[in-house]
Amino acid sequence: MADKKGIIFDLDGVLVDTAKYHYLAWKAIAAEFNFNLTPTLNEQLKGVGREDSLRKILQWAEHSLSAEDFESTATRKNELYLQHINHIGEAELLPGVKNFLQVLKAEGKKIALGSASKNARLVLERTGILSYFDVIVDGTIVSKPKPHPEVFLRAAEGLALKPEECCVFEDAPAGVQAAKAAAMAVIGVGSKHSLPEADEVIEGF
């Protein structure tokens, strides 16, 4: 990572501990279809956009929705999530994150966010780390969800760097695959068992 000019972070599960709120919101939505969303199944939703996550849940629940109901359900999930994160603060940052961002800034690294979340800017603002980011690429900008590399390629473009000059931090298999597809180095945050394709794996910062 030392030779990389740009560092790109995923959000949930990497910088902040808000993945649990996505799970609670999706679990409530799944219950509407008489389906129990387990933590194991929820792992498959990490790093995946809202619409694609809902499609997965509907498939698991063997349930279908009209286009109108699909849209309103996706919106309701987001409202549930926003209720959970309405009062979050710096305490939601994962251990060592702020110090790591400070070190990267001191070393002159360019920093970007590459997240499927459409609420990324709000979360960064609430947790007090928005000012560390030179570029924010989130679900309001990209159209193709991870494992497609669009989010990371757009982040590199925003930083005015080549993909090979960037290193990605990811906690989800789909995100690791997206970084690899973008020809970027990737450091997994979590366990080697769950992120076998990452170049390196750390437990945390």
Side-chain angles (χ1 to χ4, degrees), residues 5 14 47 56 70 96 139 192:
K5 296 178 181 178
V14 173
K56 281 181 179 286
F70 182 94
K192 289 182 181 179

Side-chain angles (χ1 to χ4, degrees), residues 1-5 7 100 104 107 109 167 169 187 200:
M1 191 193 81
D3 62 327
K4 302 300 180 184
K5 296 178 181 178
I7 310 298
F100 188 64
L104 292 177
E107 291 178 352
K109 303 287 188 185
C167 178
F169 282 83
I187 296 178
E200 186 183 336

Side-chain angles (χ1 to χ4, degrees), residues 7-205:
I7 310 298
I8 306 171
F9 293 94
D10 176 44
L11 181 63
D12 295 316
V14 173
L15 297 174
V16 295
D17 191 19
T18 51
K20 60 190 175 188
Y21 300 131
H22 283 293
Y23 172 55
L24 290 173
W26 280 127
K27 190 172 178 66
I29 292 296
E32 295 177 11
F33 312 132
N34 296 314
F35 181 73
N36 177 36
L37 180 64
T38 64
T40 303
L41 280 175
N42 184 62
E43 288 296 310
Q44 296 184 43
L45 304 183
K46 285 187 174 180
V48 178
R50 194 184 308 161
E51 288 78 11
D52 285 316
S53 291
L54 180 53
R55 288 187 190 99
K56 281 181 179 286
I57 289 171
L58 289 170
Q59 188 179 359
W60 293 332
E62 298 180 352
H63 194 90
S64 61
L65 291 173
S66 67
E68 188 179 340
D69 286 342
F70 182 94
E71 192 173 328
S72 65
T73 302
T75 299
R76 194 163 67 256
K77 181 269 169 181
N78 189 52
E79 289 168 351
L80 289 169
Y81 171 71
L82 288 174
Q83 286 174 20
H84 285 300
I85 68 164
N86 205 29
H87 304 293
I88 67 169
E90 198 172 309
E92 232 73 22
L93 289 176
L94 288 165
V97 163
K98 194 164 188 178
N99 183 61
F100 188 64
L101 290 171
Q102 289 169 344
V103 169
L104 292 177
K105 277 294 182 189
E107 291 178 352
K109 303 287 188 185
K110 293 183 176 181
I111 302 175
L113 188 82
S115 169
S117 173
K118 291 181 179 177
N119 303 296
R121 189 176 289 272
L122 172 67
V123 173
L124 294 178
E125 194 176 303
R126 292 271 169 87
T127 52
I129 57 172
L130 180 62
S131 62
Y132 290 98
F133 290 83
D134 301 297
V135 170
I136 295 172
V137 179
D138 61 14
T140 66
I141 296 172
V142 296
S143 58
K144 299 179 181 72
K146 301 170 188 176
H148 193 281
E150 182 190 14
V151 66
F152 295 135
L153 292 173
R154 293 281 291 267
E157 185 182 346
L159 293 174
L161 295 173
K162 297 174 183 175
E164 57 267 29
E165 294 178 303
C166 300
C167 178
V168 173
F169 282 83
E170 259 288 354
D171 73 318
V176 172
Q177 290 165 19
K180 285 290 187 183
M184 297 180 183
V186 56
I187 296 178
V189 181
S191 69
K192 289 182 181 179
H193 173 73
S194 60
L195 302 167
E197 294 180 50
D199 295 312
E200 186 183 336
V201 177
I202 59 172
E203 288 183 7
F205 296 101

